[in-house]
Amino acid sequence: MAQRKVDVITLGCSKNLVDSERLMGMFEDAGFDALHEPEKLRGDIVVVNTCGFIGDAKEESINEILQQISNKDAGAVKELYVMGCLSQRYLNELKEEMPEVDGWYGKFDWHNLVGKLASQNPGTAKYERRITTPRHHAYIKIAEGCNRFCSFCAIPLITGRFHSRPIDDIVAEVTSLAASGTKEFNIIAQDLSSYGIDIDGKSHLAELIDRLADIDGVKRLRLHYAYPAQFPMDVLDVMARRDNVCKYLDIALQHISDNVLANMRRHIDAEGTRRLLAQIRERVPGIHIRTTLMTGFPGEGEKEFNELKEFVKEQRFERMGAFAYCEEEDTYGAKHFNDDIPQEVKQARLDELMAIQEEIALEHNESKIGKTFSVIIDREDKDYYAGRTEFDSPEVDPEVLIKKTRPLKTGEFYNVKIESALPFELIGSVVDD
């Protein structure tokens, strides 16, 4: 009997990607042929893993579902299933609006989809994740959910309360992946800072990272999505001490105005934020900090926005992203504040903030000219190889473009001397070890 084919399409963040990879592992364990975002649909089963974080992401997810409904109507797809954050939050509404979809699954019950199609319970079967990134790097999700309840964020409404994975479970997964050739691991969660607190009231992030750094074959560990309030300072000691823990921290700060931070319910003020950043840089010299900021949240007048601009100039973040506030129904912000800042004002502030950051990013990159860095090769293009330093996370951070002076292998590390710089790219050549 021919294998049934499943095409999985992932929208949204790396945490969603991990869910898709787990789903594909379950499908393959059950005897299906699973592919991730194939160039051409194969006419059997399509699963859309949706995002429901902000308005643009929800719109993208709905448009993708509509596109697959159109493909189904045209006979290019036989069965269509939807899972993920959007269907978790709007299940009943979506079912009514899109009856053409064969099945709807939420953020946590999608394994039932495999059980339905395979006529077996996937929870009783051993399966491996089907890694969709280049084999040399992978995302490791160490927890689910969030207890912070920031007033702008719908994530706790979708994912529920914070829940840590056991350390031994994570260690086993990383050990297995490292044995099969994965070298770089991006550690992710909605809130890294809370890892372990739900187990015994204490953070165990430092212990986890230390144990992962001991595993044979782990060349890089990189930390994503820490929360500034109750930040576990002991993880900085591990970062400073262990060579294979990247001097890199992704920590979303959102704003610096005390008024806006209070409205956001971020549990930290401007003084605490600055003190934390100073301690991070003091304890891990050379660290690259990535943060996310928001413009246009209720209470952000010109004074508050000017504070934010000066904060960006003062802190000179090595990596920074930003987005304009989008009100999410049922959140604290939607219930208690008027979203009265015009969209064009939010966008203008966002553009101004990113223009400031682009200049800072260029200066940071220019400071690297003449220096040599260990670079992992991600891919070969026509005119160059593309790779990343320890300070660059996949998809979101700068790449190093390497001149083709000799053949290089994807997934291997090379010493690269930086010769020129753009705001979001470095250009260099391989040097002898």
PDB file of all heavy atoms in Angstrom, residues 297-325:
ATOM      1  N   PHE A 297       1.608  51.935  22.479  1.00  0.00           N
ATOM      2  CA  PHE A 297       0.753  51.368  23.517  1.00  0.00           C
ATOM      3  C   PHE A 297       0.049  52.504  24.254  1.00  0.00           C
ATOM      4  O   PHE A 297       0.614  53.587  24.428  1.00  0.00           O
ATOM      5  CB  PHE A 297       1.568  50.528  24.495  1.00  0.00           C
ATOM      6  CG  PHE A 297       0.713  49.714  25.427  1.00  0.00           C
ATOM      7  CD1 PHE A 297       0.131  48.539  24.997  1.00  0.00           C
ATOM      8  CD2 PHE A 297       0.453  50.150  26.725  1.00  0.00           C
ATOM      9  CE1 PHE A 297      -0.671  47.791  25.845  1.00  0.00           C
ATOM     10  CE2 PHE A 297      -0.350  49.413  27.578  1.00  0.00           C
ATOM     11  CZ  PHE A 297      -0.921  48.228  27.127  1.00  0.00           C
ATOM     12  N   PRO A 298      -1.196  52.296  24.714  1.00  0.00           N
ATOM     13  CA  PRO A 298      -1.915  53.345  25.442  1.00  0.00           C
ATOM     14  C   PRO A 298      -1.071  53.956  26.564  1.00  0.00           C
ATOM     15  O   PRO A 298      -0.471  53.242  27.370  1.00  0.00           O
ATOM     16  CB  PRO A 298      -3.137  52.606  25.992  1.00  0.00           C
ATOM     17  CG  PRO A 298      -3.401  51.540  24.970  1.00  0.00           C
ATOM     18  CD  PRO A 298      -2.047  51.100  24.513  1.00  0.00           C
ATOM     19  N   GLY A 299      -1.031  55.290  26.590  1.00  0.00           N
ATOM     20  CA  GLY A 299      -0.220  56.011  27.558  1.00  0.00           C
ATOM     21  C   GLY A 299       1.079  56.511  26.985  1.00  0.00           C
ATOM     22  O   GLY A 299       1.811  57.263  27.645  1.00  0.00           O
ATOM     23  N   GLU A 300       1.414  56.113  25.749  1.00  0.00           N
ATOM     24  CA  GLU A 300       2.647  56.568  25.119  1.00  0.00           C
ATOM     25  C   GLU A 300       2.383  57.883  24.375  1.00  0.00           C
ATOM     26  O   GLU A 300       1.951  57.897  23.228  1.00  0.00           O
ATOM     27  CB  GLU A 300       3.200  55.517  24.143  1.00  0.00           C
ATOM     28  CG  GLU A 300       4.540  55.942  23.536  1.00  0.00           C
ATOM     29  CD  GLU A 300       4.964  55.074  22.372  1.00  0.00           C
ATOM     30  OE1 GLU A 300       4.334  55.179  21.284  1.00  0.00           O
ATOM     31  OE2 GLU A 300       5.913  54.290  22.533  1.00  0.00           O
ATOM     32  N   GLY A 301       2.637  58.984  25.053  1.00  0.00           N
ATOM     33  CA  GLY A 301       2.593  60.287  24.393  1.00  0.00           C
ATOM     34  C   GLY A 301       3.958  60.621  23.822  1.00  0.00           C
ATOM     35  O   GLY A 301       4.874  59.790  23.803  1.00  0.00           O
ATOM     36  N   GLU A 302       4.120  61.858  23.376  1.00  0.00           N
ATOM     37  CA  GLU A 302       5.400  62.268  22.802  1.00  0.00           C
ATOM     38  C   GLU A 302       6.514  62.169  23.844  1.00  0.00           C
ATOM     39  O   GLU A 302       7.640  61.777  23.513  1.00  0.00           O
ATOM     40  CB  GLU A 302       5.292  63.691  22.258  1.00  0.00           C
ATOM     41  CG  GLU A 302       4.480  63.804  20.973  1.00  0.00           C
ATOM     42  CD  GLU A 302       5.086  63.003  19.828  1.00  0.00           C
ATOM     43  OE1 GLU A 302       6.339  62.902  19.764  1.00  0.00           O
ATOM     44  OE2 GLU A 302       4.323  62.462  19.011  1.00  0.00           O
ATOM     45  N   LYS A 303       6.202  62.529  25.092  1.00  0.00           N
ATOM     46  CA  LYS A 303       7.218  62.445  26.147  1.00  0.00           C
ATOM     47  C   LYS A 303       7.701  61.007  26.313  1.00  0.00           C
ATOM     48  O   LYS A 303       8.920  60.744  26.372  1.00  0.00           O
ATOM     49  CB  LYS A 303       6.628  62.954  27.459  1.00  0.00           C
ATOM     50  CG  LYS A 303       7.536  62.769  28.684  1.00  0.00           C
ATOM     51  CD  LYS A 303       6.859  63.290  29.935  1.00  0.00           C
ATOM     52  CE  LYS A 303       7.709  63.035  31.187  1.00  0.00           C
ATOM     53  NZ  LYS A 303       7.844  61.586  31.463  1.00  0.00           N
ATOM     54  N   GLU A 304       6.777  60.066  26.378  1.00  0.00           N
ATOM     55  CA  GLU A 304       7.140  58.659  26.581  1.00  0.00           C
ATOM     56  C   GLU A 304       7.885  58.097  25.383  1.00  0.00           C
ATOM     57  O   GLU A 304       8.835  57.315  25.537  1.00  0.00           O
ATOM     58  CB  GLU A 304       5.884  57.838  26.868  1.00  0.00           C
ATOM     59  CG  GLU A 304       5.270  58.067  28.242  1.00  0.00           C
ATOM     60  CD  GLU A 304       4.433  59.340  28.325  1.00  0.00           C
ATOM     61  OE1 GLU A 304       4.164  59.958  27.266  1.00  0.00           O
ATOM     62  OE2 GLU A 304       4.043  59.725  29.446  1.00  0.00           O
ATOM     63  N   PHE A 305       7.457  58.518  24.182  1.00  0.00           N
ATOM     64  CA  PHE A 305       8.162  58.030  22.995  1.00  0.00           C
ATOM     65  C   PHE A 305       9.573  58.604  22.929  1.00  0.00           C
ATOM     66  O   PHE A 305      10.517  57.893  22.541  1.00  0.00           O
ATOM     67  CB  PHE A 305       7.378  58.374  21.726  1.00  0.00           C
ATOM     68  CG  PHE A 305       8.078  57.928  20.467  1.00  0.00           C
ATOM     69  CD1 PHE A 305       8.369  56.585  20.263  1.00  0.00           C
ATOM     70  CD2 PHE A 305       8.478  58.846  19.508  1.00  0.00           C
ATOM     71  CE1 PHE A 305       9.036  56.162  19.116  1.00  0.00           C
ATOM     72  CE2 PHE A 305       9.134  58.431  18.361  1.00  0.00           C
ATOM     73  CZ  PHE A 305       9.415  57.088  18.164  1.00  0.00           C
ATOM     74  N   ASN A 306       9.748  59.846  23.313  1.00  0.00           N
ATOM     75  CA  ASN A 306      11.094  60.428  23.340  1.00  0.00           C
ATOM     76  C   ASN A 306      11.972  59.683  24.344  1.00  0.00           C
ATOM     77  O   ASN A 306      13.174  59.487  24.104  1.00  0.00           O
ATOM     78  CB  ASN A 306      11.027  61.911  23.680  1.00  0.00           C
ATOM     79  CG  ASN A 306      10.537  62.742  22.509  1.00  0.00           C
ATOM     80  OD1 ASN A 306      10.713  62.368  21.351  1.00  0.00           O
ATOM     81  ND2 ASN A 306       9.904  63.877  22.801  1.00  0.00           N
ATOM     82  N   GLU A 307      11.392  59.274  25.468  1.00  0.00           N
ATOM     83  CA  GLU A 307      12.140  58.450  26.433  1.00  0.00           C
ATOM     84  C   GLU A 307      12.622  57.164  25.773  1.00  0.00           C
ATOM     85  O   GLU A 307      13.758  56.717  25.988  1.00  0.00           O
ATOM     86  CB  GLU A 307      11.262  58.103  27.636  1.00  0.00           C
ATOM     87  CG  GLU A 307      11.010  59.217  28.621  1.00  0.00           C
ATOM     88  CD  GLU A 307      10.210  58.722  29.814  1.00  0.00           C
ATOM     89  OE1 GLU A 307      10.688  57.818  30.536  1.00  0.00           O
ATOM     90  OE2 GLU A 307       9.083  59.214  30.004  1.00  0.00           O
ATOM     91  N   LEU A 308      11.742  56.555  24.985  1.00  0.00           N
ATOM     92  CA  LEU A 308      12.088  55.298  24.321  1.00  0.00           C
ATOM     93  C   LEU A 308      13.215  55.513  23.316  1.00  0.00           C
ATOM     94  O   LEU A 308      14.155  54.705  23.246  1.00  0.00           O
ATOM     95  CB  LEU A 308      10.850  54.722  23.636  1.00  0.00           C
ATOM     96  CG  LEU A 308      10.992  53.340  22.998  1.00  0.00           C
ATOM     97  CD1 LEU A 308      11.389  52.296  24.038  1.00  0.00           C
ATOM     98  CD2 LEU A 308       9.693  52.926  22.300  1.00  0.00           C
ATOM     99  N   LYS A 309      13.145  56.576  22.542  1.00  0.00           N
ATOM    100  CA  LYS A 309      14.209  56.865  21.574  1.00  0.00           C
ATOM    101  C   LYS A 309      15.551  57.078  22.276  1.00  0.00           C
ATOM    102  O   LYS A 309      16.590  56.546  21.836  1.00  0.00           O
ATOM    103  CB  LYS A 309      13.853  58.102  20.750  1.00  0.00           C
ATOM    104  CG  LYS A 309      12.745  57.899  19.747  1.00  0.00           C
ATOM    105  CD  LYS A 309      12.643  59.054  18.775  1.00  0.00           C
ATOM    106  CE  LYS A 309      12.256  60.349  19.470  1.00  0.00           C
ATOM    107  NZ  LYS A 309      12.108  61.462  18.495  1.00  0.00           N
ATOM    108  N   GLU A 310      15.535  57.849  23.348  1.00  0.00           N
ATOM    109  CA  GLU A 310      16.784  58.105  24.071  1.00  0.00           C
ATOM    110  C   GLU A 310      17.326  56.825  24.696  1.00  0.00           C
ATOM    111  O   GLU A 310      18.545  56.624  24.778  1.00  0.00           O
ATOM    112  CB  GLU A 310      16.555  59.176  25.141  1.00  0.00           C
ATOM    113  CG  GLU A 310      16.277  60.563  24.574  1.00  0.00           C
ATOM    114  CD  GLU A 310      17.345  61.008  23.594  1.00  0.00           C
ATOM    115  OE1 GLU A 310      18.551  60.920  23.943  1.00  0.00           O
ATOM    116  OE2 GLU A 310      16.985  61.432  22.474  1.00  0.00           O
ATOM    117  N   PHE A 311      16.430  55.948  25.123  1.00  0.00           N
ATOM    118  CA  PHE A 311      16.838  54.662  25.685  1.00  0.00           C
ATOM    119  C   PHE A 311      17.574  53.827  24.643  1.00  0.00           C
ATOM    120  O   PHE A 311      18.618  53.216  24.931  1.00  0.00           O
ATOM    121  CB  PHE A 311      15.593  53.929  26.190  1.00  0.00           C
ATOM    122  CG  PHE A 311      15.838  52.549  26.724  1.00  0.00           C
ATOM    123  CD1 PHE A 311      16.628  52.340  27.845  1.00  0.00           C
ATOM    124  CD2 PHE A 311      15.230  51.446  26.126  1.00  0.00           C
ATOM    125  CE1 PHE A 311      16.825  51.064  28.351  1.00  0.00           C
ATOM    126  CE2 PHE A 311      15.425  50.178  26.623  1.00  0.00           C
ATOM    127  CZ  PHE A 311      16.232  49.983  27.738  1.00  0.00           C
ATOM    128  N   VAL A 312      17.054  53.784  23.421  1.00  0.00           N
ATOM    129  CA  VAL A 312      17.697  53.030  22.345  1.00  0.00           C
ATOM    130  C   VAL A 312      19.077  53.605  22.040  1.00  0.00           C
ATOM    131  O   VAL A 312      20.056  52.865  21.864  1.00  0.00           O
ATOM    132  CB  VAL A 312      16.804  53.013  21.095  1.00  0.00           C
ATOM    133  CG1 VAL A 312      17.551  52.437  19.892  1.00  0.00           C
ATOM    134  CG2 VAL A 312      15.533  52.213  21.360  1.00  0.00           C
ATOM    135  N   LYS A 313      19.174  54.928  22.000  1.00  0.00           N
ATOM    136  CA  LYS A 313      20.473  55.568  21.742  1.00  0.00           C
ATOM    137  C   LYS A 313      21.450  55.303  22.876  1.00  0.00           C
ATOM    138  O   LYS A 313      22.653  55.108  22.654  1.00  0.00           O
ATOM    139  CB  LYS A 313      20.271  57.075  21.570  1.00  0.00           C
ATOM    140  CG  LYS A 313      19.473  57.468  20.344  1.00  0.00           C
ATOM    141  CD  LYS A 313      19.217  58.977  20.321  1.00  0.00           C
ATOM    142  CE  LYS A 313      18.324  59.386  19.161  1.00  0.00           C
ATOM    143  NZ  LYS A 313      18.025  60.848  19.184  1.00  0.00           N
ATOM    144  N   GLU A 314      20.945  55.301  24.090  1.00  0.00           N
ATOM    145  CA  GLU A 314      21.773  55.085  25.277  1.00  0.00           C
ATOM    146  C   GLU A 314      22.293  53.651  25.370  1.00  0.00           C
ATOM    147  O   GLU A 314      23.474  53.407  25.633  1.00  0.00           O
ATOM    148  CB  GLU A 314      20.932  55.433  26.506  1.00  0.00           C
ATOM    149  CG  GLU A 314      21.399  54.886  27.818  1.00  0.00           C
ATOM    150  CD  GLU A 314      20.249  54.814  28.830  1.00  0.00           C
ATOM    151  OE1 GLU A 314      19.485  55.799  28.940  1.00  0.00           O
ATOM    152  OE2 GLU A 314      20.105  53.776  29.488  1.00  0.00           O
ATOM    153  N   GLN A 315      21.415  52.689  25.134  1.00  0.00           N
ATOM    154  CA  GLN A 315      21.767  51.284  25.336  1.00  0.00           C
ATOM    155  C   GLN A 315      22.505  50.672  24.157  1.00  0.00           C
ATOM    156  O   GLN A 315      23.250  49.712  24.310  1.00  0.00           O
ATOM    157  CB  GLN A 315      20.511  50.467  25.642  1.00  0.00           C
ATOM    158  CG  GLN A 315      19.904  50.772  26.992  1.00  0.00           C
ATOM    159  CD  GLN A 315      20.796  50.374  28.147  1.00  0.00           C
ATOM    160  OE1 GLN A 315      21.530  49.386  28.082  1.00  0.00           O
ATOM    161  NE2 GLN A 315      20.740  51.144  29.228  1.00  0.00           N
ATOM    162  N   ARG A 316      22.262  51.208  22.960  1.00  0.00           N
ATOM    163  CA  ARG A 316      22.961  50.731  21.756  1.00  0.00           C
ATOM    164  C   ARG A 316      22.889  49.199  21.640  1.00  0.00           C
ATOM    165  O   ARG A 316      23.894  48.505  21.599  1.00  0.00           O
ATOM    166  CB  ARG A 316      24.418  51.208  21.752  1.00  0.00           C
ATOM    167  CG  ARG A 316      24.545  52.722  21.686  1.00  0.00           C
ATOM    168  CD  ARG A 316      25.992  53.173  21.675  1.00  0.00           C
ATOM    169  NE  ARG A 316      26.734  52.564  20.584  1.00  0.00           N
ATOM    170  CZ  ARG A 316      26.685  52.966  19.302  1.00  0.00           C
ATOM    171  NH1 ARG A 316      25.905  53.985  18.963  1.00  0.00           N
ATOM    172  NH2 ARG A 316      27.384  52.355  18.373  1.00  0.00           N
ATOM    173  N   PHE A 317      21.670  48.703  21.593  1.00  0.00           N
ATOM    174  CA  PHE A 317      21.474  47.262  21.480  1.00  0.00           C
ATOM    175  C   PHE A 317      22.129  46.722  20.212  1.00  0.00           C
ATOM    176  O   PHE A 317      22.000  47.300  19.132  1.00  0.00           O
ATOM    177  CB  PHE A 317      19.984  46.928  21.471  1.00  0.00           C
ATOM    178  CG  PHE A 317      19.283  47.263  22.747  1.00  0.00           C
ATOM    179  CD1 PHE A 317      18.424  48.353  22.821  1.00  0.00           C
ATOM    180  CD2 PHE A 317      19.488  46.508  23.892  1.00  0.00           C
ATOM    181  CE1 PHE A 317      17.779  48.677  24.001  1.00  0.00           C
ATOM    182  CE2 PHE A 317      18.854  46.821  25.083  1.00  0.00           C
ATOM    183  CZ  PHE A 317      17.999  47.906  25.135  1.00  0.00           C
ATOM    184  N   GLU A 318      22.801  45.586  20.363  1.00  0.00           N
ATOM    185  CA  GLU A 318      23.411  44.950  19.193  1.00  0.00           C
ATOM    186  C   GLU A 318      22.352  44.440  18.221  1.00  0.00           C
ATOM    187  O   GLU A 318      22.557  44.419  17.010  1.00  0.00           O
ATOM    188  CB  GLU A 318      24.310  43.797  19.635  1.00  0.00           C
ATOM    189  CG  GLU A 318      25.580  44.218  20.350  1.00  0.00           C
ATOM    190  CD  GLU A 318      25.366  44.573  21.810  1.00  0.00           C
ATOM    191  OE1 GLU A 318      24.249  44.376  22.349  1.00  0.00           O
ATOM    192  OE2 GLU A 318      26.339  45.058  22.423  1.00  0.00           O
ATOM    193  N   ARG A 319      21.212  43.999  18.763  1.00  0.00           N
ATOM    194  CA  ARG A 319      20.106  43.469  17.956  1.00  0.00           C
ATOM    195  C   ARG A 319      18.806  44.047  18.508  1.00  0.00           C
ATOM    196  O   ARG A 319      18.570  43.997  19.713  1.00  0.00           O
ATOM    197  CB  ARG A 319      20.054  41.935  18.039  1.00  0.00           C
ATOM    198  CG  ARG A 319      21.395  41.231  17.796  1.00  0.00           C
ATOM    199  CD  ARG A 319      21.713  41.167  16.320  1.00  0.00           C
ATOM    200  NE  ARG A 319      22.937  40.438  16.077  1.00  0.00           N
ATOM    201  CZ  ARG A 319      24.108  41.002  15.765  1.00  0.00           C
ATOM    202  NH1 ARG A 319      24.190  42.333  15.699  1.00  0.00           N
ATOM    203  NH2 ARG A 319      25.170  40.272  15.514  1.00  0.00           N
ATOM    204  N   MET A 320      17.969  44.553  17.650  1.00  0.00           N
ATOM    205  CA  MET A 320      16.699  45.106  18.129  1.00  0.00           C
ATOM    206  C   MET A 320      15.630  44.993  17.051  1.00  0.00           C
ATOM    207  O   MET A 320      15.871  45.273  15.885  1.00  0.00           O
ATOM    208  CB  MET A 320      16.855  46.572  18.518  1.00  0.00           C
ATOM    209  CG  MET A 320      15.661  47.138  19.292  1.00  0.00           C
ATOM    210  SD  MET A 320      15.645  48.952  19.293  1.00  0.00           S
ATOM    211  CE  MET A 320      14.727  49.265  17.766  1.00  0.00           C
ATOM    212  N   GLY A 321      14.444  44.576  17.467  1.00  0.00           N
ATOM    213  CA  GLY A 321      13.269  44.603  16.608  1.00  0.00           C
ATOM    214  C   GLY A 321      12.191  45.410  17.303  1.00  0.00           C
ATOM    215  O   GLY A 321      12.273  45.689  18.506  1.00  0.00           O
ATOM    216  N   ALA A 322      11.183  45.813  16.566  1.00  0.00           N
ATOM    217  CA  ALA A 322      10.088  46.588  17.162  1.00  0.00           C
ATOM    218  C   ALA A 322       8.820  46.355  16.362  1.00  0.00           C
ATOM    219  O   ALA A 322       8.862  45.940  15.199  1.00  0.00           O
ATOM    220  CB  ALA A 322      10.440  48.078  17.185  1.00  0.00           C
ATOM    221  N   PHE A 323       7.685  46.604  17.017  1.00  0.00           N
ATOM    222  CA  PHE A 323       6.408  46.515  16.314  1.00  0.00           C
ATOM    223  C   PHE A 323       5.433  47.496  16.940  1.00  0.00           C
ATOM    224  O   PHE A 323       5.617  47.968  18.066  1.00  0.00           O
ATOM    225  CB  PHE A 323       5.854  45.085  16.345  1.00  0.00           C
ATOM    226  CG  PHE A 323       5.567  44.527  17.708  1.00  0.00           C
ATOM    227  CD1 PHE A 323       4.284  44.526  18.227  1.00  0.00           C
ATOM    228  CD2 PHE A 323       6.586  43.984  18.480  1.00  0.00           C
ATOM    229  CE1 PHE A 323       4.017  44.005  19.482  1.00  0.00           C
ATOM    230  CE2 PHE A 323       6.330  43.452  19.740  1.00  0.00           C
ATOM    231  CZ  PHE A 323       5.035  43.470  20.246  1.00  0.00           C
ATOM    232  N   ALA A 324       4.413  47.843  16.158  1.00  0.00           N
ATOM    233  CA  ALA A 324       3.390  48.773  16.617  1.00  0.00           C
ATOM    234  C   ALA A 324       2.311  48.001  17.368  1.00  0.00           C
ATOM    235  O   ALA A 324       1.948  46.883  16.994  1.00  0.00           O
ATOM    236  CB  ALA A 324       2.788  49.521  15.424  1.00  0.00           C
ATOM    237  N   TYR A 325       1.807  48.608  18.430  1.00  0.00           N
ATOM    238  CA  TYR A 325       0.780  47.968  19.249  1.00  0.00           C
ATOM    239  C   TYR A 325      -0.463  47.653  18.433  1.00  0.00           C
ATOM    240  O   TYR A 325      -0.951  48.472  17.652  1.00  0.00           O
ATOM    241  CB  TYR A 325       0.408  48.878  20.419  1.00  0.00           C
ATOM    242  CG  TYR A 325      -0.776  48.391  21.226  1.00  0.00           C
ATOM    243  CD1 TYR A 325      -0.738  47.169  21.900  1.00  0.00           C
ATOM    244  CD2 TYR A 325      -1.939  49.153  21.313  1.00  0.00           C
ATOM    245  CE1 TYR A 325      -1.812  46.726  22.647  1.00  0.00           C
ATOM    246  CE2 TYR A 325      -3.025  48.722  22.068  1.00  0.00           C
ATOM    247  CZ  TYR A 325      -2.964  47.500  22.726  1.00  0.00           C
ATOM    248  OH  TYR A 325      -4.042  47.064  23.457  1.00  0.00           O
TER     249      TYR A 325
END
